[in-house]
Amino acid sequence: MKHVLAVFRKKNMLFKIILSYVLIGFVVIGCFSYVVLKTVSSKMTQEIVEASKRMMNQTYNTADILLTFTYNYYSQIYLNNEYISKALNGTSFDTHDIYEINSQLTGFKDTNPLVASIYVYNYKAGIVFNSAKDFSTVDHFYDKGMTDYLKKGDLSRSGLFIPRTATLAFTSQSNKKSTENYISIIYTRIGSGEQQNSMVLNLDQTVLQSLILKGNDAGPNKMMIINDQGLMISKPPAWSYDDTSTGQILSPIVRSASQRGEMDQTFQGKTYRISYVKSDKLGWNFIVFTEKNQLLGIVHTLQNFILAMTVVSLLMITITSAFFTRMIYVPIARLLNRIKTNTEAKDKVVLNEYDLIDKSFSLLEGKVQTLQKDFNQSVPMRKQSLLRSVLNGNVNRNEEMKKAMENLQIGSAMDRYVVCVLKIDGFQDISQKYDLVDISLFKFAIQNISEEIVGDVFKLEVIENGYDSLDLVFNMGTAEEELTGVLRSMWVEIQKNIKSYLKISVSVGIGSVAHKIEQMRESRDCAYQAVQYRLIYGTNSILSYDDWIEAESREYEYPELLEKQIMSNLKAGDRETLKEYISEFFSVMMSLKYYEITHSLTQLLIMTVRVAKSMSNFEQADFNMEIHTCQQELWCLDTLEQMEEWYMDLCYKIIKLRDQESKSKNSKTVASMVEYMKENYLDPNLSVDQMSHSVGLSTNYMRRLFKEETGMSVSEYLTTLRMEKAKELLIKTDDPARKIGANVGFENTNYFYVLFKKHVGMTPDHYRREHKLEMLV
């Protein structure tokens, strides 16, 4: 036991993996099997019970039809057949007469398989005619039970259908007797005498069972018929229960006031499903017994099959779990064996898999932290940190900073420095196409290209100081000669190589010359301002701050008039004129300073959003018209040309949305007007002013709007509507044409005739005759 526990502790992960697979498999398959078993069993049980009910109803209907038809058919024979009448009323018969009557009775019997035999009792002649063609007197008739029954006299209390067990003793075979289960029908004229001439019809109970069950009497369903007093009319051939047990079964049905029903009863160790129907016309109760185990046999078979499949599935899951556990655990075990040597050898303690992995990761984490600390203290990282502090203006201890720059071989206090800012053009598209790792590789490649081209001419340090930019610090040395031209030519070469190898372009801002370390931040700020003028000069530009200082300064004036023209044409939806004014507005931007451009475009954007929201509802639009969202999209662009194109597209979207909403609103207005016409076209005084008032529009505007939407004038549409209704009434009614004209809104009959002929091409009467003739044909 201790050995097992030791293995379990050591292979803790393995056992947990196996256990998780097995538990998940058992739970999933178990739940699935339970749901399937429950659902299928309940549905099939319900279907079987419903089938039993349908069989009960079919049994009842079949029995009702068979017995009613048989009774009525032989009633007609009893009343109308001349041979039956002769057999009942005759006083003397010769041999030929007896043979002929018996032959007729045999023929009547053979017409219905349900009929076992037919007797005709003639007490005056003392003869019993029968379908067995056995000549017999009343006293010596082979069915003595029926003879004795008829002698009792009062037949009215027995009912139409009399169940009995008949003992037959034929005169030709006196030593042989047979017993038959009959349902007898006695046709007689009830009189005052004790013995009346009668015709007796014997129905075979076995044949009745077979016909009612339609050959299913060998299956699980057994049928029984009893009368209202509980007397058994018919029972199954193989019914093995005694009268006491049968009475216990039948008594609840006899006492029940329900016309039909079902119940479950258990007796002699078996459970039966009992369905019954009570027939008021026959005075019988039709009962179907079904042993429940036989009834639900198919359900039990299906349940056993599902359980077997569940067991097979669980076995398959167990095998699959072992296979996948091996696939997963073997590589882990190999890895654990590799790290066991160091960990367990040092600690001399046996660890389970989790503790071993945890300890190994703790060791690795410590090593990574140590490496990271060492890396941060390396020369390149210290250079980056120092220069980032200098460029951000964090020069609190000037002497220490100068000493650190000399120690790191960045430069001395006597050197001159120029800071350049490099921005990647189209960074928004690049950031969507590549991930952060790829962008870092782009920046690293730019750094390498720059260092390669600068070479030994200048000392160069590259600092990553923004998502889309790099700061490049050039140490120009102590020489006083002008080296700006050399620097610019280097940048031309750097741009060329970046575009050739990396397939991207960059723009560069060159800052002012810093004669002191403290001035390096100012140089960086100048370079950053210079590179922003990429807006005007486009991408792949080299921009120097000194060029902008020398440029003539002018007083800033916002192009307010152009803004008003743009807003006016935006509201009017005049795309061509709008495009001209937008182009003119952005042309003015070309002559402004960067901060003036940003102010102007922000002002234009605010006014555009305000006007757009007054023109349309942007809740259903597929673009956002909030000012901060539009600003973000605008300032992601690099040049004024791109911004102009973006702004033009924004204006076109606003106009398109406004037009779509206006068209939808117009369509709804016209639809309301059409609906109003359909409701009021019978009014002869219906006018365009009324219809305009109903939709809240001026008459002239409504006329123009209706014509644009439907291609018809209001009057034309109303006349067409009335004509269609008039044609319908001409075909479906016999009203005079003048009355129909008045009914569809025409007070002047002559005008109606003229207008109808103009629209239809024929007079109303001609139209009616022609179309009614077509309907007849």
Side-chain angles (χ1 to χ4, degrees), residues 429-447:
D429 295 334
I430 292 174
S431 62
Q432 292 176 358
K433 187 175 180 181
Y434 301 100
D435 58 21
L436 292 176
V437 175
D438 293 331
I439 292 173
S440 297
L441 292 174
F442 275 127
K443 291 180 179 179
F444 182 72
I446 291 171
Q447 178 180 344

Side-chain angles (χ1 to χ4, degrees), residues 27-45 299 302-310 313:
V27 170
V28 171
I29 295 298
C31 292
F32 176 76
S33 299
Y34 175 78
V35 171
V36 171
L37 190 64
K38 197 75 175 173
T39 303
V40 172
S41 297
S42 60
K43 286 187 177 180
M44 290 194 67
T45 302
V299 176
L302 182 61
Q303 289 175 341
N304 294 333
F305 175 76
I306 292 175
L307 290 174
M309 292 304 298
T310 301
S313 299

Side-chain angles (χ1 to χ4, degrees), residues 365-394:
E365 188 177 7
K367 291 180 180 179
V368 169
Q369 289 176 352
T370 303
L371 287 172
Q372 189 174 12
K373 184 177 179 181
D374 294 342
F375 180 74
N376 290 336
Q377 292 176 354
S378 65
V379 173
M381 291 302 299
R382 290 172 63 192
K383 280 185 179 182
Q384 290 276 323
S385 178
L386 178 62
L387 287 172
R388 192 173 285 109
S389 298
V390 171
L391 296 180
N392 291 332
N394 301 324

Side-chain angles (χ1 to χ4, degrees), residues 219-222 270 290-298 300:
N221 301 305
K222 306 296 181 184
K270 293 183 179 180
T290 308
E291 190 176 344
K292 212 160 186 183
N293 286 335
Q294 293 181 351
L295 181 69
L296 300 179
I298 188 170
H300 294 152

Side-chain angles (χ1 to χ4, degrees), residues 164-175:
R164 66 192 183 93
T165 300
T167 302
L168 308 180
F170 292 94
T171 56
S172 60
Q173 300 174 350
S174 57
N175 59 335

Side-chain angles (χ1 to χ4, degrees), residues 419-431:
V419 180
C420 299
V421 174
L422 178 147
K423 274 189 171 292
I424 301 173
D425 297 331
F427 185 77
Q428 180 70 13
D429 295 334
I430 292 174
S431 62

